[in-house]
Amino acid sequence: MAEERTSNYIKLCDEWAEKFLQMEKKELMNRLPELKEEDGYLKITHFGVPFGIRLDNGRIDRLAEVAGLPLKGKEKLLK
């Protein structure tokens, strides 16, 4: 029988999602004023790329992908 394995990356993502859910969101927003609560996310732009931390499960989404928008630089990879 094959043993199911989980990568350390996935484990850390799950751990930090849980930690985020336990955090006081208003305090976090006071410490990082660039965070904006909107559409079920705490949104932030990192190096020109919009990201959002989901308030319901703590997962991080690259918001351009969620909106179905093309990602900067991705078109170069497809050629």
Side-chain angles (χ1 to χ4, degrees):
M1 184 186 306
E3 181 181 327
E4 188 172 324
R5 303 176 109 196
T6 304
S7 77
N8 287 336
Y9 174 79
I10 298 298
K11 288 178 188 177
L12 281 173
C13 287
D14 291 342
E15 285 178 29
W16 276 102
E18 281 301 316
K19 287 179 185 183
F20 172 78
L21 293 174
Q22 302 303 316
M23 290 179 184
E24 186 63 44
K25 305 308 182 283
K26 294 294 180 196
E27 182 182 332
L28 185 61
M29 291 172 70
N30 285 337
R31 289 177 171 227
L32 297 167
E34 59 272 16
L35 285 174
K36 304 293 180 215
E37 187 173 347
E38 192 177 306
D39 302 326
Y41 288 98
L42 282 185
K43 294 182 176 183
I44 191 167
T45 300
H46 183 63
F47 289 104
V49 180
F51 289 93
I53 307 167
R54 294 178 56 124
L55 294 171
D56 61 348
N57 64 13
R59 301 282 180 202
I60 299 173
D61 292 333
R62 189 171 180 170
L63 296 177
E65 291 174 344
V66 171
L69 300 173
L71 301 176
K72 293 178 184 175
K74 192 172 186 179
E75 60 276 353
K76 293 177 185 175
L77 296 173
L78 297 175
K79 289 182 180 180

